Amino acid sequence: MFNYCWKSALWLDIGRLSIGFGVAMISYVVPVYIAEITPKSHRGSFASTNQLMTTSGFALVYFIGTFISWRALAMISVISSVVQIIGLFFIPESPRWLAKFGQEKEFEAALKRLRGEDADISEEAADIRNYMETLEQQAEASFLELLQRRYANSLIVGVGLMLLQQLGGNAAMAYYASNIFEEAGISSTVGLQVSSIIQIPVAIVGLLLMDRSGRRPLLLVSASGMCFSCFLIGLSFCFKELPHLKALTPILALTGILVCAIAFTIGLGGIPWIIMSEIFPINVKAQAGSLVTLVNWSTSWITTYTFNFMMEWSSAGTFFIFSGVGGLTVLFVAKLVPETKGRTLEEIQASLTPFL
């Protein structure tokens, strides 16, 4: 609304700041809520549905943005926010949150509402209660206590995934896609439309595979794809300087950008947030969520801010660096990221925090 109604740069900055606060909170809270209300057998699929909706929204906005002004686009985007606010009044509270605060009747009612009135919730409710009793022996952690050794594994996985997700350069490529297409000799309008449309079916594939293949395989495929696609884009800018290979630049650049969009959407775009919602115990979830969200969006800002300077230094070098980050991500996932498919939140968290 600020972006549309006022013409000064100040109100534009206030609007952007407000969006930043909203996106930062919702990017972590929504996956956490989904993870806490869904059964283990369907948790990945439900969380991936959130990523599908997010990807579809981005793709739709990118596509529509090639036809209308950004001010009109900002006003259209208000509709989804209003619908979401209204919808919040009709969803139940997280059963695990209710159990944490000893609201037994509300806890059982919420769990029954989520599983169905005829469902047997006794085993699941007992598991949640037992885990909460274990957590009660631990004091509510402060931010500094989050740095204790017992949470080291979860922190390394969480912070590492968030750093690598953003250092791979996808945010910068998304924000400066038009410039990249133009520098590679491709129509920015056509490039944006194609790259936005292709992400929706890819997100659907990711949704179907999430609880079949697991998180780790999708992350490995995604990071490998990011590594390869950024290498292709870097190579295309190298060819641009060679007269006999210059004609290959648009083809390689477009291929690289499309592969990058596909690879990011199928894994690194949403799975790190899903894993964040699964690995932190509820007594540190707020502090851990604040930390990983801060790391993610701070790194996104740094990468986006420095992107133009890096492109001025070397277009090819910029994407070779992003390719190297993709390679590091493959190693990080292979060595340190646990598989969470088919396990309850309590099992995942107990395996990562053995001192609880």
Side-chain angles (χ1 to χ4, degrees):
M1 288 290 288
F2 286 132
N3 294 343
Y4 182 83
C5 297
W6 286 277
K7 309 297 183 182
S8 71
L10 174 62
W11 286 109
L12 178 61
D13 290 339
I14 292 172
R16 291 289 294 142
L17 185 64
S18 301
I19 292 171
F21 278 123
V23 170
M25 285 189 287
I26 209 167
S27 59
Y28 182 70
V29 172
V30 170
V32 167
Y33 177 77
I34 292 172
E36 290 185 355
I37 67 170
T38 50
K40 63 181 181 180
S41 57
H42 300 297
R43 192 173 60 242
S45 297
F46 273 83
S48 293
T49 302
N50 173 54
Q51 177 60 19
L52 171 61
M53 295 297 102
T54 302
T55 300
S56 299
F58 272 116
L60 188 61
V61 167
Y62 260 85
F63 188 80
I64 295 174
T66 60
F67 299 103
I68 63 175
S69 71
W70 67 267
R71 290 184 185 277
L73 195 62
M75 281 303 295
I76 292 172
S77 300
V78 171
I79 298 171
S80 60
S81 299
V82 173
V83 171
Q84 190 169 32
I85 291 170
I86 295 171
L88 289 174
F89 291 98
F90 299 94
I91 63 174
E93 183 54 84
S94 161
R96 286 175 171 83
W97 186 89
L98 292 169
K100 177 187 176 183
F101 289 97
Q103 300 180 35
E104 283 296 316
K105 288 183 179 179
E106 293 84 351
F107 160 64
E108 290 191 5
L111 201 55
K112 267 198 169 296
R113 180 180 172 187
L114 290 164
R115 301 293 180 263
E117 289 300 324
D118 299 326
D120 181 8
I121 63 168
S122 56
E123 184 179 347
E124 184 178 4
D127 289 341
I128 293 172
R129 286 193 186 98
N130 291 338
Y131 188 66
M132 292 304 164
E133 287 173 6
T134 304
L135 287 180
E136 282 176 5
Q137 299 171 12
Q138 309 289 326
E140 184 73 23
S142 66
F143 193 84
L144 289 178
E145 288 171 345
L146 182 61
L147 304 178
Q148 292 179 8
R149 186 183 172 190
R150 74 183 69 174
Y151 305 119
N153 291 339
S154 299
L155 273 181
I156 290 169
V157 172
V159 173
L161 277 177
M162 289 305 179
L163 277 172
L164 291 168
Q165 181 198 51
Q166 294 296 349
L167 289 176
N170 184 77
M173 285 185 269
Y175 293 142
Y176 293 102
S178 295
N179 297 26
I180 297 170
F181 283 128
E182 288 170 3
E183 188 165 342
I186 305 166
S187 166
S188 61
T189 301
V190 173
L192 285 172
Q193 289 175 351
V194 172
S195 61
S196 62
I197 291 171
I198 201 171
Q199 292 182 56
I200 297 176
V202 173
I204 294 173
V205 171
L207 168 63
L208 297 174
L209 292 176
M210 183 63 66
D211 281 321
R212 289 180 173 85
S213 64
R215 282 59 152 168
R216 272 169 53 88
L218 285 178
L219 277 176
L220 289 169
V221 169
S222 177
S224 301
M226 291 289 290
C227 177
F228 174 69
S229 61
C230 288
F231 183 81
L232 272 186
I233 300 170
L235 199 62
S236 73
F237 285 114
C238 285
F239 287 176
K240 188 179 178 181
E241 307 301 322
L242 305 173
H244 57 293
L245 294 174
K246 189 175 181 179
L248 293 175
T249 296
I251 299 169
L252 279 179
L254 182 60
T255 303
I257 290 171
L258 292 180
V259 172
C260 182
I262 291 170
F264 188 80
T265 300
I266 205 169
L268 278 169
I271 293 178
W273 292 106
I274 295 173
I275 292 176
M276 294 313 98
S277 70
E278 297 173 324
I279 62 175
F280 292 112
I282 199 166
N283 65 318
V284 297
K285 193 159 278 187
Q287 295 85 351
S290 299
L291 178 61
V292 297
T293 303
L294 175 65
V295 168
N296 183 279
W297 292 110
S298 298
T299 310
S300 174
W301 177 81
I302 292 168
T303 306
T304 304
Y305 181 78
T306 57
F307 182 74
N308 274 336
F309 300 110
M310 292 174 68
M311 289 291 282
E312 288 176 6
W313 161 67
S314 170
S315 298
T318 298
F319 286 97
F320 287 145
I321 290 172
F322 291 156
S323 178
V325 173
L328 285 175
T329 307
V330 173
L331 294 176
F332 181 84
V333 172
K335 295 293 183 181
L336 296 173
V337 177
E339 180 55 73
T340 60
K341 181 191 76 168
R343 303 165 71 190
T344 66
L345 296 182
E346 290 71 32
E347 289 170 346
I348 297 165
Q349 293 155 14
S351 69
L352 287 168
T353 54
F355 299 99
L356 277 176

